[in-house]
Amino acid sequence: MLIHFQAMSLPNVEISRRAAKRIRSGHVWVYRSDLRSSEAEKGDIVRVVSRHGSGGTNELGVAFYNPESLISLRLIDRQVHELNREFWAARFRQAIENRKELPDIEDMARLVFGEADCIPGLIVDRYGDVLVIQTGCAGSDHRIDLWIDILEELLSPAAIAERNDSSTRRLERLESRCGVLRGRVDGPVEVREGGLRQLVDPLSGQKTGAYLDQRENRLRSAEYARGRCLDVFSYQGGFALQLARGGAGEVLCVDQSERALEAARAAARLNGLTVSCQTANAFDFLRELQGAGERFDVICLDPPAFAKNRKSVERAERGYKEINLRAIKLLRSGGVLITSSCSYHMLEPQFENLLREAGQDGGRTLQVLERRSQSRDHPVRLGFPESRYLKCFVLRVI
Ligand code: SAH
């Protein structure tokens, strides 16, 4: 009875009854304030238990443990059992299999989206034959070697790189790291999105090289392309290129990163498309465009997460409101605004409300053409609202 023995050998972590209820309703995180007792160490896989009224204990599942993080437990499975290599390989196979139907899946895709794919704290992105991984919690960080072996076995990539330089690792008290773990990465990788050629740099681009979560929204934007289009917070011109492909007369990108715009120009050249680029602070630039009486037919707004936590939501709201109000004023009657918020803390009703206010303040009527979210390779796990973070409204401004 090896399985039984190994399951028994897991250290116990006891949580509050309130947290146990949350876990039973589908959530997968337990906060530090809900820990009651622990026999475990940072990065361990533990058995999660809670005490019921009569004094006995309930088993809630197995989880990664990190007492140094506010999110101290991340549930891996509701059954307590052995988590061997085959267990993890099956989870990876399933995540990859689930994405088989998606377009461009061989070119670029998120293959593993952490908790939503039941592999807590792990991101795996594919750019052609290069994989880029991020381990965002102590438990996943400790298992990086095993998981890389599994990924090599399943996908035989030319290279695997890690982008463990995101600031969220500080919340787990994990050091910042970035580099190639297997194989070689020789500069940017060429991939396709909706038939367009793009260059992604897994080692020095933003995130793991690209904003994969907006892929389906970028492709969709091509259907609204016409006349004069503006892509604000453009990064490497993802929306702009699709708008140009879709038949826009003129497309302008704005970003504060000169490097990102250099990549946007290169991609436009690769595809024989014309896109103009402006390095600027988007807030200032939108104000200037408004002052100059400029008008557009389509505007995309895709700012970084202005609200990184609950406390900063109010300030973030002002930022979102300002850019949306300015964009609304810059649109011709009948124009289309494709506006996103990737802050989890800005919930969809709140975002919708500030868009309504911006419409009111701008003296315009807004029609909702579409309410969109993140691409399907970033699935939303029901019961775990943190997995739904991207909101994207397509609005007609009249
Ligand atoms: N739309 C892009 C992703 C945008 S990510 C895509 O689909 O690929 C947000 C971008 O905003 C980043 O490129 C960042 O450089 C830029 N940025 C952040 N703050 C900015 C500011 N105040 N003004 C202009 N650009 C900004």
Side-chain angles (χ1 to χ4, degrees), residues 343-387:
S343 305
Y344 162 71
H345 296 283
M346 166 71 64
L347 300 176
E348 182 162 313
Q350 222 174 332
F351 188 45
E352 179 176 332
N353 191 46
L354 78 81
L355 293 172
R356 179 190 58 77
E357 282 176 7
Q360 284 297 108
D361 293 358
R364 311 288 290 272
T365 300
L366 306 183
Q367 296 173 333
V368 179
L369 303 183
E370 295 187 55
R371 270 168 216 278
R372 302 179 60 88
S373 182
Q374 60 232 32
S375 294
R376 282 167 290 165
D377 52 355
H378 296 57
V380 174
R381 176 173 178 161
L382 284 186
F384 179 53
E386 287 80 355
S387 60

Side-chain angles (χ1 to χ4, degrees), residues 170-184:
R170 255 182 267 140
L171 304 173
E172 294 272 322
R173 304 274 181 274
L174 295 171
E175 81 289 5
S176 176
R177 297 191 313 253
C178 172
V180 180
L181 302 173
R182 300 276 167 96
R184 272 182 57 181

Side-chain angles (χ1 to χ4, degrees), residues 206 211 214 218 231 233-236 238-239 254-257 260 280-283 302-304:
Q206 297 185 22
Y211 290 86
Q214 283 284 22
R218 286 191 291 263
D231 178 3
F233 304 96
S234 66
Y235 187 47
Q236 302 188 357
F239 281 99
V254 186
D255 201 281
Q256 69 184 11
S257 161
N281 178 311
F283 287 83
D302 184 17

Side-chain angles (χ1 to χ4, degrees), residues 264-388:
R265 288 186 199 102
R269 276 195 302 274
L270 271 179
N271 294 289
L273 296 169
T274 308
V275 166
S276 322
C277 296
Q278 179 74 42
T279 313
N281 178 311
F283 287 83
D284 298 340
F285 192 65
L286 287 169
R287 191 178 319 121
E288 280 165 30
L289 288 172
Q290 202 185 328
E294 302 279 353
R295 288 291 175 269
F296 294 87
D297 297 288
V298 180
I299 300 180
C300 297
L301 291 179
D302 184 17
F306 288 154
K308 298 257 192 233
N309 51 49
R310 219 174 303 161
K311 281 187 210 135
S312 57
V313 169
E314 217 171 285
R315 235 186 90 221
E317 233 176 273
R318 286 199 293 277
Y320 286 115
K321 173 106 177 268
E322 175 174 342
I323 55 172
N324 280 285
L325 175 55
R326 292 201 190 279
I328 285 167
K329 289 186 170 165
L330 285 168
L331 280 164
R332 294 199 177 100
S333 181
V336 170
L337 176 61
I338 302 173
T339 182
S340 299
S341 163
C342 61
S343 305
Y344 162 71
H345 296 283
M346 166 71 64
L347 300 176
E348 182 162 313
Q350 222 174 332
F351 188 45
E352 179 176 332
N353 191 46
L354 78 81
L355 293 172
R356 179 190 58 77
E357 282 176 7
Q360 284 297 108
D361 293 358
R364 311 288 290 272
T365 300
L366 306 183
Q367 296 173 333
V368 179
L369 303 183
E370 295 187 55
R371 270 168 216 278
R372 302 179 60 88
S373 182
Q374 60 232 32
S375 294
R376 282 167 290 165
D377 52 355
H378 296 57
V380 174
R381 176 173 178 161
L382 284 186
F384 179 53
E386 287 80 355
S387 60
R388 183 175 195 266

Side-chain angles (χ1 to χ4, degrees), residues 245-261:
R245 172 179 74 100
E250 188 189 333
V251 186
L252 175 58
C253 286
V254 186
D255 201 281
Q256 69 184 11
S257 161
E258 175 52 35
R259 216 174 146 187
L261 292 177

